[in-house]
Amino acid sequence: MYLNNVGIRKIARFVGASPAGVLRWIRKEHEAVQARLAKSGPACVTEADIIEMDEIYTFVQKNSCGR
């Protein structure tokens, strides 16, 4: 849930735990993931395949009749 942008308090309500307990669990799992990544060796860094934009790009064509 945390990786899908669900807030700490909402996770706590859903699983029936305190927000502090959820935060401790997230930090503990983060340390475990970092340890596994360090053990597996350096990762190959490549360019991103997907680019996400926040704003909409719009093109408005000028009217050719001279208004």
Side-chain angles (χ1 to χ4, degrees):
M1 288 188 285
Y2 180 74
L3 295 176
N4 287 314
N5 296 323
V6 177
I8 304 273
R9 282 187 253 164
K10 189 170 267 190
I11 295 171
R13 269 187 254 130
F14 184 76
V15 299
S18 70
V22 171
L23 195 54
R24 275 193 306 270
W25 175 78
I26 290 170
R27 288 179 178 158
K28 180 181 174 183
E29 288 302 311
H30 172 75
E31 289 174 7
V33 168
Q34 292 299 317
R36 274 185 266 147
L37 288 174
K39 191 187 298 184
S40 67
C44 179
V45 179
T46 61
E47 292 185 27
D49 292 333
I50 299 172
I51 299 174
E52 294 184 26
M53 303 299 284
D54 290 334
E55 302 297 328
I56 298 173
Y57 177 79
T58 334
F59 176 76
V60 179
Q61 186 177 5
K62 290 186 178 182
N63 191 348
S64 61
C65 65
R67 290 187 197 172

